[in-house]
Amino acid sequence: MPRRTPPASLTIAAILVTNVLILLLLAFSALKARSRSWEYKLEDIPDAEFNDELNQMGSKGWEMIFARRASGGDQDPTTNYEVIFKRPKS
């Protein structure tokens, strides 16, 4: 028995419906991402531990958004990084 192909109008309609559904999913995802709440964390990290601490925080879902080197002043010659992390609130 020969196989029947659907009419072209049905194929076009199926493609349009699929595209509309994809656009709706993308729009919903974008709206959800905009309404995301964040939590922030400020850490003081010693210079020698900087890379290890960044990797550890990253494995916990934290993203570094700012870092600056800060010295302890005349009484404290050590150098640390002041780092701000953020991650989505769950």
Side-chain angles (χ1 to χ4, degrees):
M1 185 178 230
R3 197 168 173 201
R4 290 180 45 179
T5 58
S9 60
L10 186 58
T11 303
I12 292 172
I15 291 171
L16 286 174
V17 168
T18 302
N19 287 341
V20 167
L21 288 174
I22 289 171
L23 287 173
L24 286 173
L25 285 172
L26 290 173
F28 179 73
S29 296
L31 287 174
K32 189 174 180 183
R34 283 188 205 172
S35 64
R36 178 177 287 166
S37 295
W38 299 94
E39 60 180 319
Y40 296 89
K41 185 173 192 162
L42 177 64
E43 290 287 319
D44 190 33
I45 303 171
D47 202 13
E49 300 171 18
F50 187 71
N51 285 338
D52 291 336
E53 187 68 24
L54 284 184
N55 288 328
Q56 188 177 34
M57 294 296 289
S59 69
K60 295 176 183 176
W62 291 97
E63 176 186 355
M64 180 184 70
I65 58 171
F66 178 79
R68 75 177 185 106
R69 287 186 91 180
S71 65
D74 293 335
Q75 274 77 27
D76 185 6
T78 60
T79 303
N80 292 335
Y81 283 89
E82 294 175 347
V83 185
I84 300 174
F85 295 94
K86 76 173 185 177
R87 71 177 175 188
K89 284 187 178 180
S90 33

